[in-house]
Amino acid sequence: MNCDSCGYLNGPIAYVQAMGAGTEQYGCPIKHARKMKAIHNRHHKFMEYGDGIDYHRNHEALRRDVADLGGDE
């Protein structure tokens, strides 16, 4: 019973977290100004807060990098 309920709850939670991380990477891949208590597995790819030069240089490449999520790009 415990394994079934754990899988039933954690599967959708992991799916939603992955979708949120991919959406954030595609739309606004900037690290937060403050340290976050919990970060997703794509956060290490994001640009540093306040680094506008890196943002303009690498934003399109990060958008294309979400293709591993099964998108059309």
Side-chain angles (χ1 to χ4, degrees):
M1 173 82 175
N2 288 335
C3 291
D4 289 336
S5 63
C6 180
Y8 180 74
L9 294 173
N10 287 326
I13 290 170
Y15 177 76
V16 169
Q17 184 180 24
M19 293 303 295
T23 301
E24 185 178 7
Q25 180 178 339
Y26 185 84
C28 186
I30 300 171
K31 292 180 181 176
H32 295 274
R34 297 184 184 152
K35 278 279 198 197
M36 302 295 292
K37 290 182 181 179
I39 57 173
H40 50 73
N41 62 349
R42 294 183 169 273
H43 196 263
H44 70 279
K45 298 180 178 186
F46 290 10
M47 277 101 33
E48 294 296 327
Y49 180 82
D51 190 356
I53 294 171
D54 191 35
Y55 177 82
H56 290 291
R57 188 179 304 148
N58 296 320
H59 186 238
E60 286 303 317
L62 278 171
R63 277 189 163 186
R64 287 189 301 272
D65 192 37
V66 298
D68 65 323
L69 293 175
D72 293 328
E73 291 194 29

